[in-house]
Amino acid sequence: MKVIIIGSGLAGPVLALALKQRNISCKIFEARDKAAFEGGFVALAPNALRALDRVGVYDRISNQGWNYEEFQFVSSRNLGRIATILNGSQNKYGYRALRISRGVVRQTLLEVLREQQIDIQYGSKCVKIEETDHSTVVATFADGHTEEADILIGTDGIHSRVRNYIDASAIPTFSGQMGVGGSLPKMKLGPEANTVYMPCMVLGKLNSFAFMPCDYNGTRIGCFATIESQERTREEWNKLQSDKDTLQAYMRSHHEHERWPEIVHRASENVDKDTLTLWPYYSVPKLESWSSASGHVVVIGDAAHAMPPHGGQGSAMAFEDALTLADTLSRIMDDRTTTKDGASASESEFESDLDLPHALRPWQTARQARIEKILAFTARSGDTRKASASTLRQIFKEWAMWAYFLWVGEDAGLSWIYHYDTNAETFGKS
Ligand SMILES: Cc1cc2nc3c(=O)[nH]c(=O)nc-3n(C[C@H](O)[C@H](O)[C@H](O)COP(=O)(O)OP(=O)(O)OC[C@H]3O[C@@H](n4cnc5c(N)ncnc54)[C@H](O)[C@@H]3O)c2cc1C
């Protein structure tokens, strides 16, 4: 089975490593240059880290970011604690949570790909996909070259070309909000930095502002604001991404209309401008299918189901998709190369009895069900950050959150997300 993967963000490399572990060879094509560096930080929950452990990457990154268990919500009125939740736990989940640079995660993945001699071709933007009458897929790249494979998997992110081939009507929709984040030395946050527990989210009347240590020693703090925004074209978003002065102006504008603690002002004044990155919140409408009618073209990760940021599960879902798809393809291979009496199937048998859509269906159904549940949780989590009409309402919201988290307990009802183990998935098979 020849597999090609389009996109080497976070899902593509994990998929390639998982396929290699299952003796399925693949090649990755990436639109960007080799030197392109990913900006921003990710908070990786235990389920994301368990998946990275499976492909031999966790140990390499765990000491390159901030390991933590508790996350606090605090009030913008007085920095008082509203609630504490467990985002990770060595005892409970086997992993603490990890706040780390996206660039470090991706570069480490690429390093492991190199060591495992998995082929990756940079500067290769996929512009066209066609299926042949002999059950293969041909990808055409912007430079005119083509590549033929049995299966093409799109891990090409939210504005996916591969998804467009599967379902051209699934256009990402903009939420009206964007995240602007950066980092700075902790000492530049002033005295409050020594008394406020971090990581935390300061919940204001109108919106929120997060502080998250982002290096191993906690000397560097990432800060992140969610800001209302109009929609832009891809070119305009890219332009804004590189315009650090405007990004900083946006971060300052976040707290123009209400009173915020001094630490929030210091963060947006002193943030290192070159670390500022932008994350416009888009989501992808639910796809009828994650694969083409033939099953030879498949999408996973943000390409299949990009989600709002409030649950911190975007990359975790991309990793889980990758591992479970690799398992599914491996099972398909095993089923097809073994005849009833255990002998190897011939090449023609191999071709004729392939019913990929049918074989992929249980995997997709299970993944979609989990994604739906995560999306519902993410939406609830986003509601806690919606604007309150008055200070009284803000106080009421804080009280309601306090009572809710007291009721659900320290795991905040998140253990079904964090305990998830791709190895335990059977997709209908015992
Ligand atoms: C600033 C920021 C902060 C985030 N924070 C968090 C967080 O805290 N927790 C969390 O879980 N998630 C977070 N996310 C989301 C998370 O990064 C994504 O969910 C994850 O990267 C999805 O991985 P992916 O591989 O599907 O897509 P991507 O990582 O977007 O990768 C897509 C890749 O495909 C390539 N590509 C695109 N089109 C083509 C083409 N036509 N041909 C070839 N290659 C192509 C792109 O260049 C890119 O390398 C954050 C995202 C951003 C931007």
Side-chain angles (χ1 to χ4, degrees):
M1 187 192 283
K2 182 179 173 191
V3 176
I4 60 176
I5 298 172
I6 306 296
S8 74
L10 297 186
V14 170
L15 174 64
L17 293 170
L19 288 173
K20 169 113 188 193
Q21 284 176 335
R22 291 150 185 80
N23 295 318
I24 299 174
S25 62
C26 65
K27 188 169 175 183
I28 308 183
F29 294 88
E30 166 58 47
R32 291 182 290 173
D33 292 338
K34 193 173 182 178
F37 196 80
E38 205 93 27
F41 293 88
V42 277
L44 298 176
N47 53 324
L49 297 174
R50 192 172 295 114
L52 288 178
D53 211 0
R54 292 269 146 77
V55 292
V57 171
Y58 173 68
D59 286 342
R60 297 196 191 202
I61 59 167
S62 61
N63 61 359
Q64 298 196 63
W66 178 250
N67 292 270
Y68 65 98
E69 301 208 338
E70 293 183 342
F71 182 93
Q72 278 193 4
F73 292 100
V74 301
S75 168
S76 69
R77 295 179 299 110
N78 51 15
L79 290 174
R81 184 178 73 87
I82 300 169
T84 303
I85 62 171
L86 268 189
N87 267 178
S89 162
Q90 195 66 46
N91 284 339
K92 206 172 161 63
Y93 305 121
Y95 299 89
R96 289 176 287 168
L98 179 67
R99 181 73 173 173
I100 187 169
S101 145
R102 269 159 52 94
V104 167
V105 178
R106 181 164 181 265
Q107 289 309 318
T108 308
L109 284 165
L110 297 180
E111 187 183 291
V112 182
L113 287 182
R114 266 195 306 277
E115 287 168 13
Q116 306 228 355
Q117 298 177 337
I118 295 172
D119 213 357
I120 169 159
Q121 205 163 308
Y122 295 94
S124 293
K125 181 175 183 179
C126 175
V127 290
K128 191 170 159 199
I129 295 164
E130 287 166 299
E131 294 193 52
T132 68
D133 53 12
H134 49 281
S135 301
T136 62
V137 190
V138 178
T140 305
F141 297 90
D143 62 4
H145 94 270
T146 58
E147 193 79 19
E148 189 166 0
D150 298 303
I151 296 190
L152 179 150
I153 302 168
T155 54
D156 51 345
I158 198 146
H159 300 289
S160 169
R161 164 72 57 165
V162 181
R163 183 188 60 240
N164 187 262
Y165 172 80
I166 293 172
D167 181 355
S169 70
I171 314 265
T173 49
F174 181 57
S175 67
Q177 288 183 316
M178 61 181 183
V180 178
S183 65
L184 72 168
K186 186 175 182 180
M187 59 186 202
K188 288 195 178 175
L189 288 172
E192 279 170 336
N194 299 319
T195 51
V196 177
Y197 172 86
M198 293 180 194
C200 71
M201 178 161 292
V202 188
L203 292 177
K205 194 161 67 182
L206 302 177
N207 49 31
S208 60
F209 197 95
F211 289 99
M212 307 196 67
C214 55
D215 61 356
Y216 188 70
N217 297 317
T219 52
R220 204 166 175 85
I221 305 295
C223 51
F224 191 83
T226 295
I227 293 153
E228 308 294 311
S229 163
Q230 85 266 20
E231 188 166 13
R232 292 172 163 82
T233 62
R234 300 262 315 265
E235 291 68 33
E236 286 167 343
W237 285 122
N238 289 339
K239 200 167 153 216
L240 182 57
Q241 180 70 269
S242 48
D243 181 355
K244 307 295 182 189
D245 288 323
T246 307
L247 286 183
Q248 188 175 22
Y250 271 120
M251 195 180 247
R252 287 195 190 110
S253 75
H254 157 272
H255 38 272
E256 262 168 8
H257 302 297
E258 62 173 293
R259 219 173 132 257
W260 284 85
E262 183 58 24
I263 192 170
V264 171
H265 294 278
R266 284 191 188 237
S268 53
E269 286 308 320
N270 297 328
V271 64
D272 288 334
K273 255 198 275 185
D274 59 341
T275 66
L276 283 169
T277 51
L278 172 70
W279 182 6
Y281 304 157
Y282 279 87
S283 55
V284 173
K286 186 178 173 188
L287 298 181
E288 197 54 44
S289 174
W290 290 7
S291 59
S292 62
S294 69
H296 287 264
V297 180
V298 185
V299 277
I300 61 168
D302 274 10
H305 51 64
M307 49 182 70
H310 317 298
Q313 281 289 312
S315 41
M317 290 306 105
F319 299 153
E320 289 181 7
D321 289 349
L323 262 65
T324 52
L325 177 59
D327 278 336
T328 302
L329 291 178
S330 168
R331 263 189 221 127
I332 293 171
M333 291 285 286
D334 287 348
D335 288 351
R336 280 181 352 111
T337 49
T338 309
T339 56
K340 278 189 206 123
D341 60 7
S344 262
S346 68
E347 186 69 23
S348 58
E349 279 169 316
F350 202 78
E351 263 316 311
S352 63
D353 58 29
L354 179 62
D355 182 358
L356 266 176
H358 181 253
L360 289 171
R361 181 56 59 185
W363 163 74
Q364 189 196 302
T365 305
R367 287 308 301 156
Q368 275 190 323
R370 180 159 163 83
I371 301 283
E372 287 291 301
K373 264 180 90 177
I374 301 262
L375 279 170
F377 150 73
T378 301
R380 280 197 306 277
S381 176
D383 284 347
T384 61
R385 301 174 207 182
K386 284 200 176 136
S388 308
S390 65
T391 305
L392 200 62
R393 288 232 173 175
Q394 182 188 3
I395 294 170
F396 177 75
K397 190 170 83 178
E398 288 172 7
W399 181 85
M401 274 182 76
W402 172 81
Y404 172 76
F405 285 115
L406 196 66
W407 177 61
V408 291
E410 62 168 11
D411 76 4
L414 301 175
S415 57
W416 63 274
I417 299 180
Y418 297 160
H419 267 309
Y420 181 84
D421 185 346
T422 53
N423 276 1
E425 272 291 6
T426 56
F427 303 119
K429 295 199 172 186
S430 53

